[in-house]
Amino acid sequence: MHEIILKKAEELSFCHVLGGEYSSFNGKFRRVSVQKGTNAIAVGTMNRNAQIRSLLLFDIDAVHMLLIGISFINFKLLKVVDFEDAPLYVIPEDLGNLFYLRYLSLRRTKVKMLPKSIGKLQNLQTLDLKHSPVEALPVEITKLKKMRHILAYSYHWTPEMKFATTRGVHIGEGIGSMLDLQKLCYVEANNGRGLIEELGKLRQLRRLGIVNLMEDDGPSMCASISNMKYLESLVIFSKGDGILNLQTISNPSRYLRSLGLQGGLSRLPAWLLVLRSLVRVNLVNSRLSYDPMEVLKALPNLLELGLSNAYGGECFCFAELGFQKLKTLLLYDMKGLKTLKIHEGALPVLEHLEIEPSPQMEVPSGIRQLKNLTMIRFFGMPREFAYSMRPQDGQNYHIVEHVPIIFLHEFHADGETILCLR
């Protein structure tokens, strides 16, 4: 099938593949895929064909050869450059010669800095820096008025950490002039209140991610978000274990579908209740003093709910007829949790349930009425908890006997053991 696709691509002049037996380039193609086994001669033939519009690299050895053997000045018509996963450390300054470039991906490369010449790419619409070590964007980035998507973040995780931390990029003042931006994630908020206020000028944003927001900057952040009438996804991380002061968003986007808040909350924001389109909510380290389910049950279209260290109490109560559309429920880091009360008619279509770790919890009897459950995962629970659900002799087996798959994850000094009860 792969060979048939390659042959068709050649016949239709859609894309030419360099690599292995395909080692020559005749110049009639506008799209080139450089793959394993490409030699220097083949790369040299590309250097003499300035009509190439898209350049895709699938061979880590070809990248070094390509950047040494050619100059971007010979590819002025390029519209797409994808260096994803390449062992690339530096982008040449002549990148700025690619005037027609619309898409540039440095995802999972080793590039730490972007050249100042990026400011010449007046037609660039997408810049993908995900999981690369780029920490700051040059000030010249604000000259790119057609930019729509800036995707720049990476995750840092160690075995000692329960969750990965998210690192964004630093953007200087002037970002407010990039009026066509639709996706901007993630931005380091500790550049000052001026940056946060400028975000309010980006009224076309659909997706926004903010990290390291200071409590005192919360009101300014709320004012900026209130201007984003088309926002569909919003994620905000506090600085460290700080507080998120986000109570004053006056008119949140009615299109908001995904919300993630990581940081302390004195209470859930009142504006949350007007978000009728929300399908996904994640609350991390909220440390609420009351059961948030009483508020969250009012979200009529919620499909996924994730709570991690969001509540320090002993009981979650899922009221009668609550969460009518919820399919996935994740409850993490609730060490004081003892009881899940699931009233009749609650969670009728729930399919996936995960709980980790709640060492004092008993097997929730309400699981028995959740007839659509297909999988349950318990993490870090006592061995007695697991034994109580064994088909052979478990006193709580009748509660979970209708669930097709049940996993128990046990953590110990040597790693993790996963037990499957069904």
Side-chain angles (χ1 to χ4, degrees):
M1 181 60 71
H2 182 253
E3 293 299 321
I4 294 175
I5 293 173
L6 292 180
K7 185 177 180 180
K8 276 293 182 183
E10 294 273 350
E11 290 176 353
L12 298 173
S13 298
F14 179 78
C15 180
H16 183 73
V17 176
L18 284 178
E21 60 183 290
Y22 306 97
S23 58
S24 62
F25 183 70
N26 61 21
K28 68 179 181 178
F29 295 90
R30 294 189 174 190
R31 302 173 186 88
V32 179
S33 173
V34 183
Q35 302 191 1
K36 191 172 182 63
T38 304
N39 57 46
I41 296 176
V43 171
T45 61
M46 287 173 49
N47 200 27
R48 297 188 295 273
N49 289 275
Q51 78 282 1
I52 297 175
R53 268 50 165 199
S54 298
L55 182 59
L56 310 173
L57 303 177
F58 297 96
D59 176 19
I60 60 174
D61 297 324
V63 178
H64 179 70
M65 184 192 308
L66 182 70
L67 293 181
I68 290 178
I70 67 173
S71 170
F72 281 129
I73 198 171
N74 296 318
F75 293 89
K76 289 185 177 181
L77 298 181
L78 267 178
K79 292 183 179 180
V80 176
V81 174
D82 188 350
F83 286 126
E84 183 175 341
D85 289 316
L88 188 63
Y89 291 85
V90 178
I91 291 294
E93 187 66 31
D94 65 354
L95 175 73
N97 290 307
L98 304 179
F99 178 78
Y100 295 101
L101 193 66
R102 294 182 180 179
Y103 178 93
L104 175 61
S105 175
L106 302 175
R107 184 185 299 199
R108 286 191 293 270
T109 65
K110 308 298 182 182
V111 174
K112 293 183 178 181
M113 295 181 61
L114 298 178
K116 293 183 178 181
S117 65
I118 196 171
K120 298 179 182 180
L121 304 178
Q122 294 299 304
N123 289 291
L124 193 63
Q125 296 179 359
T126 299
L127 178 61
D128 187 347
L129 302 174
K130 288 192 283 189
H131 311 298
S132 73
V134 175
E135 296 183 356
L137 299 182
V139 295
E140 290 79 8
I141 201 80
T142 60
K143 297 178 181 179
L144 308 182
K145 307 308 181 186
K146 294 183 180 180
M147 184 74 80
R148 294 183 180 181
H149 309 134
I150 297 179
L151 309 173
Y153 56 87
S154 61
Y155 301 122
H156 176 67
W157 184 88
T158 62
E160 294 77 25
M161 300 166 59
K162 287 186 175 294
F163 297 95
T165 58
T166 302
R167 178 184 61 77
V169 291
H170 294 272
I171 300 179
E173 294 186 14
I175 186 70
S177 65
M178 304 177 73
L179 300 180
D180 284 352
L181 271 178
Q182 296 181 12
K183 293 182 181 180
L184 180 60
C185 51
Y186 287 78
V187 177
E188 293 281 347
N190 53 12
N191 273 16
R193 194 164 300 174
L195 169 66
I196 294 173
E197 292 175 353
E198 281 204 61
L199 292 176
K201 300 176 183 179
L202 305 179
R203 297 170 183 257
Q204 299 300 316
L205 277 181
R206 269 64 169 176
R207 180 182 176 190
L208 175 64
I210 300 291
V211 297
N212 288 321
L213 182 67
M214 302 285 288
E215 180 178 0
D216 291 344
D217 292 332
S220 295
M221 191 74 252
C222 289
S224 290
I225 293 173
S226 296
N227 292 331
M228 302 172 187
K229 304 305 182 185
Y230 302 102
L231 202 61
E232 298 175 5
S233 174
L234 175 63
V235 178
I236 301 180
F237 294 77
S238 68
K239 186 172 179 61
D241 292 326
I243 301 296
L244 286 177
N245 183 7
L246 299 173
Q247 302 295 329
T248 58
I249 297 179
S250 59
N251 190 16
S253 168
R254 62 190 179 96
Y255 301 106
L256 198 63
R257 293 173 53 83
S258 181
L259 177 66
L261 301 176
Q262 180 168 319
L265 295 171
S266 57
R267 65 182 189 279
L268 290 177
W271 48 264
L272 189 65
L273 294 178
V274 305
L275 300 177
R276 316 301 287 180
S277 298
L278 266 184
V279 297
R280 182 181 299 106
V281 171
N282 283 289
L283 302 176
V284 179
N285 292 334
S286 307
R287 306 186 296 276
L288 291 164
S289 59
Y290 62 91
D291 183 356
M293 299 303 177
E294 187 64 27
V295 175
L296 296 172
K297 71 177 183 181
L299 299 174
N301 293 298
L302 196 61
L303 300 178
E304 300 177 21
L305 176 60
L307 303 177
S308 175
N309 190 28
Y311 169 54
E314 296 182 353
C315 177
F316 273 133
C317 182
F318 297 90
E320 184 177 356
L321 301 180
F323 300 96
Q324 288 296 292
K325 294 185 179 181
L326 196 70
K327 292 187 175 183
T328 300
L329 176 61
L330 312 175
L331 303 175
Y332 297 149
D333 202 15
M334 307 284 188
K335 293 185 175 61
L337 192 63
K338 294 181 179 180
T339 307
L340 286 186
K341 291 184 179 179
I342 304 174
H343 291 274
E344 186 175 355
L347 302 167
V349 297
L350 191 70
E351 298 176 355
H352 189 115
L353 174 63
E354 293 188 8
I355 300 176
E356 178 272 344
S358 299
Q360 303 180 68
M361 178 183 285
E362 298 179 356
V363 178
S365 60
I367 289 178
R368 188 173 184 179
Q369 68 190 40
L370 304 181
K371 300 304 183 182
N372 285 290
L373 266 181
T374 58
M375 179 184 293
I376 304 177
R377 289 184 183 271
F378 294 104
F379 297 83
M381 306 296 275
R383 181 62 65 91
E384 296 75 19
F385 182 91
Y387 286 166
S388 75
M389 293 182 289
R390 291 192 302 191
Q392 306 91 321
D393 54 4
Q395 70 269 28
N396 292 319
Y397 174 67
H398 66 285
I399 296 176
V400 298
E401 62 180 333
H402 64 290
V403 184
I405 302 174
I406 303 174
F407 288 112
L408 291 108
H409 298 248
E410 296 182 344
F411 303 105
H412 43 76
D414 297 326
E416 178 183 5
T417 300
I418 301 176
L419 305 176
C420 183
L421 293 184
R422 300 291 298 274

